Amino acid sequence: MLRTRGATVALGAVALVVSVVAAAPASAQRPQPPAQWNDARTRDLVERATARRAQQLADTGLVDYKATAHGYLTFLAQVGEGLTEPPKVVKADQLALEVYWHAPDMSKQRIVGRRDTLLLPTDINYHRDHLGIVQNNFPNAIRLGEGDEVLDVPHPLSAAGLEAYDYAISDSLQIRLPDRKIDVIEVRVRPKDDTKPRAIGAVYIDRDEAQVVRMAFSFTRAALRDKDLEDVSVVLENALVGTRFWLPRRQEIEIRRTGTWLDFPARGIIRGRWEIGDYAVNQGLALAIFGGPELTFLPPEQRRRYAFGGGSVLDSLPADVRMVTDEDVRRVQAQARALVQQQVLARTRSSALAARRISDFARVNRVEGLALGAGYVWRVGSGVSVTAQGRYGFDDNQVKGRLALAHRWPGGAALRLTGYRDFREAGDEPEVSLARNSLAAQEFGSDWTDPYLARGAELAADLVSGTSGLRGTLSAAYEQDRALSVHATPFAGRYEPTLPVAGVSLVRVGLEVERPPALGPLGVEWRLGGSLRTSIYTDGSGCGDAVLRPPRPESSFMPPPDALSCD
């Protein structure tokens, strides 16, 4: 695959795949100043390309063709705060197709081979159109998922699209063949009204013939019919076959759905990848081939006998399939964000219950006895959210909780302000789960928690590097800590006393940096991370002596002994 921009490339092959991305213009080609939106040069090119599509290649000499396509459909799952862990393969399908086309717009695809593997239980069923490739760079009304995911979005190169979109020439690529040069123009596409169902991205057009070389686009929020859809990205690349015809060569589609359970995020990803080749052009295909549904299947026993090669499905799966997304799709998503307002791409939910575990609703310990709580998150819009969590203990008759105001930007950066009055654990890791601890505390007086009361406020900023993938959190907090007392009585046995924590005030500053898990050499998953924290403790007696201590784990706010008194 050719990855360059504004460059002159000499090639001797007759089949060529073009992928245009950002880079510096080469000196061999004189760079042209970028056009303005909807200027005369851009409109002329787009209108010619639209007319070419309307003619369905009828005047290019292309009557019919047949080809083969090999592809993968994978379903991946991703869970956890921030969704930073790499998605895990749940189900993978490998498919082989026979592809037929006849002018002006007849298409037929037949699945001749299919095998799959299931790694985790799931009832996922793919839409029928995900099992085949896209012909003719989509019809004039774009549909995906048989209309359940995207329905009747105007194609950027259609009569309706000319009225619905803005266009601007962004860059150019010159391809040099033995007998001629081909200039490919990148045209960015954005909707005139981004609150309507529209596509966003770029089309790459052969300047002389006005044929589509490549399409890369996403969709506005209004175009996604399923409320759980996060985004849909499509990349279609064509190859120059027989020195005349731009026909499908590589295709990729990624569909991401994000849901929550008690505000705990989870994401399901459907990813389809196709490689198309072995073209035979103008073979005089019989029209009878195109009868019936566009996508058909050989009998199951014949599909199972297809020789895929390359070992099992997982052995032949592309190495980067577990990554969040590949570079092409990531570029489409970034370009979509750059062309329109972020809020017209983002799925929003106005409110939801907020919790991370069952014990956030009910727990038992020796300080509170039975404590009941709940949380709620309210998404105001434009990346702003308010989260409130509270809990009431029936034996200590006290309310605990936290209130957080956050703003998240499209690239992942965030700013959070949190106020809290809640229990903290003196240990670095809990001895047992809170659910198990609640049962043991209630019935046997066995409470393994070591809580102390923390009251304060924290300001934190999440920073993201788009190039290196690094994520960092810079935080500063002011906090007052004090000891707690035993108030509850177990059914049997008795509770141990709480820790004798002296009252202190502290200022805490921290920096954490990590690189999310990624696949490294030989398929090994690796991650990088580091943190730096420091706290200034002041005892609660009012003498005002401050003690500066080295970095300590965030959950360990027990001050050193010499910080507990003025001696």
Side-chain angles (χ1 to χ4, degrees), residues 29-44:
Q29 180 183 355
R30 179 179 300 173
Q32 299 180 5
Q36 300 298 315
W37 290 99
N38 300 319
D39 69 351
R41 182 164 64 106
T42 303
R43 291 293 300 188
D44 176 70

Side-chain angles (χ1 to χ4, degrees), residues 167-286:
Y167 307 88
I169 291 177
S170 175
D171 214 327
S172 63
L173 169 73
Q174 188 178 86
I175 303 169
R176 182 177 297 165
L177 297 177
D179 58 341
R180 70 185 191 280
K181 298 177 182 178
I182 300 176
D183 291 318
V184 177
I185 307 298
E186 177 188 0
V187 179
R188 292 195 176 187
V189 180
R190 71 181 184 189
K192 292 181 180 293
D193 184 349
D194 52 22
T195 64
K196 293 183 178 180
R198 297 292 186 262
I200 315 158
V203 293
Y204 300 77
I205 303 171
D206 174 359
R207 187 183 63 182
D208 295 331
E209 299 293 332
Q211 295 193 60
V212 176
V213 174
R214 187 177 190 263
M215 296 183 66
F217 57 93
S218 184
F219 297 93
T220 61
R221 179 68 238 168
L224 305 182
R225 292 170 56 81
D226 187 336
K227 65 180 179 61
D228 291 328
L229 279 173
E230 181 180 352
D231 56 55
V232 175
S233 302
V234 178
V235 178
L236 307 179
E237 291 186 354
N238 297 327
L240 189 60
V241 177
T243 73
R244 296 184 63 189
F245 314 121
W246 291 99
L247 302 178
R249 173 64 180 85
R250 174 182 173 268
Q251 299 184 359
E252 181 158 356
I253 180 171
E254 182 170 290
I255 301 165
R256 299 196 294 181
R257 285 181 170 84
T258 303
T260 57
W261 182 77
L262 299 178
D263 202 39
F264 188 81
R267 174 185 287 155
I269 304 171
I270 295 176
R271 183 174 300 153
R273 295 186 179 185
W274 294 97
E275 299 286 340
I276 307 100
D278 299 327
Y279 277 96
V281 177
N282 294 340
Q283 299 295 298
L285 298 179

